Amino acid sequence: ERRGTPISLEDLVAIAADAKTRLLIETKHPVLAGSAVEEEVARIIHRFKVEIHLLSFSFTAIARAMRLMPEFEHVQLLQHSQLIPLAQSEIIGLDIELIRKDGALIPSLIAKGKRLFVYTVNDDDEFRHLASEGVAGIITDIPAQAKMVLGYP
């Protein structure tokens, strides 16, 4: 048992492959390794044939992920609504604070054909509200609680 011990991305992807589950993988930038981050993720993902959504605040990282792993939908994470028009990814990931400030944001983006993930949501009422609004994904620190509230097994 490895409880509390960090594991490598390769080990995590192997576990996901065995469990036949998809992953959300967030890359952080800027880093000295630059493009090597997404290149290594792509190498490992293709080796294990696991479905992923790569998430990043970096527009360059998302463009790179779209080129290296075009078979997957990637998520452009945004903290500012002014950046929404610049997002080239299939899915936009918005900070829950943006949703709280502008209740029309979700329906307007869905009407434009965008799929939305919202982060970081840790409130039962917000889980319900976002699900009823039609967001594609909710990123939370308490996934078991979110699943229970939303009625997932």
Side-chain angles (χ1 to χ4, degrees):
E1 181 167 322
R2 298 175 61 138
R3 182 164 266 173
T5 303
I7 64 171
S8 69
L9 177 61
E10 196 157 348
D11 289 344
L12 175 64
V13 172
I15 291 166
D18 288 345
K20 295 181 179 21
T21 190
R22 65 182 169 186
L23 295 172
L24 297 177
I25 298 175
E26 182 180 353
T27 62
K28 304 288 189 175
H29 289 277
V31 293
L32 293 175
S35 64
V37 174
E38 287 76 30
E39 290 167 359
E40 184 66 5
V41 170
R43 183 190 69 76
I44 293 169
I45 294 305
H46 289 134
R47 177 174 164 221
F48 287 95
K49 299 179 179 15
V50 171
E51 182 183 342
I52 70 158
H53 291 295
L54 187 130
L55 302 81
S56 186
F57 287 98
S58 167
F59 286 89
T60 304
I62 292 298
R64 192 176 303 118
M66 291 169 68
R67 180 178 48 80
L68 293 168
M69 298 170 279
E71 66 273 32
F72 303 119
E73 295 178 313
H74 304 294
V75 183
Q76 181 67 61
L77 297 173
L78 301 172
Q79 289 179 305
H80 306 287
S81 58
Q82 299 89 334
L83 297 174
I84 291 170
L86 302 176
Q88 298 297 309
S89 61
E90 301 87 350
I91 305 170
I92 296 174
L94 296 177
D95 187 332
I96 186 63
E97 292 301 324
L98 293 175
I99 305 303
R100 289 176 184 147
K101 289 177 188 170
D102 183 355
L105 201 51
I106 293 173
S108 73
L109 289 170
I110 290 175
K112 292 176 184 171
K114 285 294 185 183
R115 294 180 56 218
L116 301 174
F117 282 15
V118 181
Y119 68 90
T120 301
V121 182
N122 292 318
D123 178 81
D124 292 358
D125 291 333
E126 286 181 330
F127 295 146
R128 289 184 200 94
H129 171 73
L130 293 170
S132 73
E133 287 284 316
V135 301
I138 298 172
I139 299 170
T140 181
D141 296 323
I142 50 172
Q145 175 72 13
K147 287 172 68 173
M148 184 189 75
V149 168
L150 297 174
Y152 290 99

